[in-house]
Amino acid sequence: MKIKVGLYLENRNIDDVDLTEPEKGNPGVGGTQFNFVTLPYYFKKNFPERVSFIWYANSTKNLPENISASEVKSPTEGAEKADKDGCDIYVWRPTTDEEGQEFIENIDSFDVKTVAWVHNTPNNEALNKLSRSEQLKRFVTVSQEQMDRLRDHRIINKTTCIFNGFDPSPYIPDHYLGGTRKTVVYIGSLVPAKGFHKLARVWPQVRENVPEANMIVIGSGKLYDRSQSLGKWGVAEEHYESEHIRPYLSDSGGEIDESVDFKGVLGNEKIPIIQRASVGAVNPSGATENCPGSAIELQAAKTPVVSGAYRGLLDTVKHKETGLLGRGDQDLINNIVYLLENEDVAQKYGENGLEFVKQKFSYKKISKQWLSLFEDVVEGRPNEVELIKQYPLNDLKIFREGVRLTRKHIPGLQYLPNPNIPTRLQVENKVRSFWRKLSEVINDASFH
């Protein structure tokens, strides 16, 4: 019997973007939205007889025609329709905005089994509610590091990791093209969470070391919301632009420095640019990055990546094999300069990067993992928590695992601390805050 899966696609702010041909690459939307389009699209190519999909989308315009779509206003309305349509499983991305909270509150009122596809981990309150839900069958993280940060929370018992799939074919250059102009290319939204200000801040020091270096910036504050108003330069919200970008990238007259070229949001036309780049830069802060598509895109184009040694970047970039990861401004400067000055190393990392992407993120492999998950959910098989696979000291995951195992093997402790009791919840949050600060110290020491 064919499994019927509904997916909630939040696309109200990008309904004018043509998503009908995923094989051409991301046309200039957020990675999460693009993945909600590409998963059923490529899954159908690999396992056409096993699962049927339907998008419950804010807009049904500009989507591939080979997948059914129904228009809804919210994830709650999507679940209601999925329930009526006889879907076996409803997949959505948990958020903590008003719409997201409404759905989490009502998740157990629907007969359809639900799967959370967690591109960004929600707050602790949402995790507590989801861990208690009867209808939430799986909590799917998009990187190993993201999953490991949850080992001390009861949601881990529903958690599994499946990386985002990626089709490298439109990104692969015919031959090595990088290094000709010592170009650094940044890809991403120009908002604080994406860390461009860190790259902007160190750019003058990069230029001191490599005076001929130039930077191309792909993306803007409009990447996730085309209605966002922008500042004087038209690249980011005014406060962010004036406080964190213009002070570092202006010439003596207050205009954009000649070494910097802001391209704005680009679709497939960005591919030749990243193919010719010497270095690709991805969110140096690592904040919110669980499976950054921009890092994967750059490596598919045989461009080495420089970023921070945090979170999902540890899963999507192989340090000293496909790029260089570091911690702090000086590492960022040193790593960019090193690759700009050592083209042979940059070329080697680029070649490695393409092979890495092919092996780790192929849609055939990822679709097979989703198929197994769908079958387990429908058949009612319990989730099995995987053991730690990498970086045991990062984010104190080994201690988090200790909490999980203690809860699992000592009767009664799996119910403590009780998140319904405010005093204990406050204690839990304080402990988590302490762990985060301590883990930053240990991470810095262990990585270097």
Side-chain angles (χ1 to χ4, degrees):
M1 183 182 72
K2 204 176 229 188
I3 299 171
K4 189 172 183 178
V5 177
L7 297 96
Y8 174 65
L9 174 61
E10 185 181 355
N11 64 341
R12 62 173 58 89
N13 293 320
I14 58 163
D15 62 344
D16 60 332
V17 180
D18 186 356
L19 292 163
T20 58
E21 298 179 283
E23 310 96 328
K24 292 184 177 180
N26 188 328
V29 299
T32 296
Q33 293 158 316
F34 191 56
N35 276 285
F36 267 83
V37 172
T38 57
L39 172 62
Y41 184 84
Y42 284 100
F43 193 106
K44 189 169 183 177
K45 288 178 177 290
N46 289 297
F47 301 104
E49 304 303 321
R50 308 293 291 276
V51 178
S52 64
F53 289 92
I54 179 170
W55 282 303
Y56 294 98
N58 304 141
S59 172
T60 57
K61 297 189 304 180
N62 294 317
L63 296 176
E65 294 181 354
N66 65 337
I67 307 290
S68 299
S70 178
E71 191 167 305
V72 298
K73 294 179 180 178
S74 68
T76 298
E77 186 180 343
E80 290 171 349
K81 280 197 174 184
D83 206 346
K84 292 177 181 177
D85 291 342
C87 288
D88 299 293
I89 298 171
Y90 179 66
V91 181
W92 100 108
R93 178 175 71 98
T95 62
T96 52
D97 56 13
E98 186 176 346
E99 287 185 353
Q101 289 180 16
E102 178 191 14
F103 180 70
I104 291 172
E105 290 290 341
N106 294 290
I107 189 171
D108 286 336
S109 66
F110 306 107
D111 289 333
V112 63
K113 296 178 175 67
T114 60
V115 171
W117 193 6
V118 194
H119 290 252
N120 296 100
T121 307
N123 61 31
N124 198 56
E125 181 181 359
L127 291 176
N128 290 334
K129 292 177 180 177
L130 291 170
S131 69
R132 298 192 300 267
S133 168
E134 292 293 329
Q135 287 301 89
L136 180 72
K137 303 304 181 181
R138 292 293 187 276
F139 192 82
V140 183
T141 65
V142 294
S143 72
Q144 199 71 38
E145 292 298 304
Q146 182 190 15
M147 184 181 80
D148 287 342
R149 286 173 63 87
L150 297 169
R151 288 183 178 275
D152 60 330
H153 194 286
R154 281 171 293 171
I155 195 67
I156 192 64
N157 296 314
K158 299 181 179 184
T159 301
T160 189
C161 170
I162 301 179
F163 290 101
N164 291 330
F166 186 82
D167 178 4
S169 55
Y171 296 85
I172 303 172
D174 294 331
H175 57 280
Y176 178 68
L177 299 171
T180 56
R181 295 183 58 232
K182 296 193 181 300
T183 301
V184 177
V185 171
Y186 169 89
I187 305 178
S189 180
L190 300 191
V191 295
K194 295 301 180 181
F196 177 72
H197 55 281
K198 291 181 176 288
L199 179 59
R201 186 170 65 219
V202 305
W203 186 245
Q205 286 73 43
V206 171
R207 291 263 292 164
E208 284 181 12
N209 287 274
V210 187
E212 67 271 35
N214 64 99
M215 176 165 60
I216 297 175
V217 182
I218 299 174
S220 81
K222 286 181 177 261
L223 180 62
Y224 298 114
D225 184 356
R226 297 302 198 261
S227 65
Q228 174 67 50
S229 61
L230 304 178
K232 174 185 173 183
W233 281 1
V235 299
E237 182 272 328
E238 172 58 26
H239 180 265
Y240 184 54
E241 190 181 289
S242 64
E243 295 294 320
H244 301 285
I245 298 176
R246 296 204 295 261
Y248 306 103
L249 302 183
S250 297
D251 60 19
S252 57
E255 300 301 321
I256 301 173
D257 186 82
E258 64 178 2
S259 67
V260 182
D261 184 4
F262 287 98
K263 295 290 190 182
V265 177
L266 297 181
N268 306 327
E269 63 270 27
K270 71 176 176 287
I271 294 176
I273 297 174
I274 64 176
Q275 288 175 333
R276 290 177 169 80
S278 307
V279 180
V282 176
N283 190 349
S285 73
T288 76
E289 298 299 345
N290 291 313
C291 189
S294 51
I296 301 171
E297 284 182 315
L298 286 159
Q299 291 170 106
K302 296 188 178 181
T303 298
V305 174
V306 167
S307 189
Y310 309 104
R311 302 201 179 187
L313 287 154
L314 292 167
D315 287 294
T316 52
V317 179
K318 297 188 75 172
H319 181 53
K320 293 185 178 180
E321 291 186 43
T322 70
L324 295 173
L325 303 176
R327 294 179 180 270
D329 286 3
Q330 195 56 55
D331 277 359
L332 184 58
I333 295 166
N334 293 344
N335 290 341
I336 292 173
V337 170
Y338 178 76
L339 290 177
L340 288 177
E341 293 183 338
N342 293 273
E343 186 178 348
D344 55 337
V345 176
Q347 183 173 355
K348 179 183 177 183
Y349 285 179
E351 297 286 347
N352 293 343
L354 174 57
E355 292 307 309
F356 171 62
V357 168
K358 286 180 177 179
Q359 292 174 17
K360 191 164 188 176
F361 305 103
S362 80
Y363 258 110
K364 187 171 184 179
K365 176 181 179 179
I366 301 304
S367 296
K368 187 175 182 180
Q369 292 173 353
W370 274 104
L371 176 60
S372 178
L373 182 143
F374 291 148
E375 291 176 339
D376 285 348
V377 168
V378 169
E379 295 297 325
R381 289 189 280 268
N383 182 56
E384 295 184 10
V385 180
E386 296 180 347
L387 298 176
I388 295 172
K389 293 183 176 180
Q390 60 189 26
Y391 310 114
L393 292 179
N394 192 53
D395 288 325
L396 294 177
K397 65 177 69 173
I398 194 168
F399 299 104
R400 297 176 190 273
E401 178 69 349
V403 172
R404 180 184 78 84
L405 294 174
T406 300
R407 282 181 175 151
K408 179 179 178 180
H409 295 294
I410 299 181
L413 288 189
Q414 67 266 34
Y415 302 109
L416 297 175
N418 187 341
N420 290 320
I421 302 175
T423 55
R424 288 183 174 176
L425 178 58
Q426 290 168 3
V427 170
E428 186 178 60
N429 287 337
K430 286 181 180 179
V431 170
R432 281 174 168 271
S433 177
F434 170 76
W435 277 23
R436 279 195 296 270
K437 292 176 182 178
L438 180 60
S439 71
E440 289 176 2
V441 175
I442 293 177
N443 289 348
D444 286 345
S446 62
F447 187 77
H448 287 107

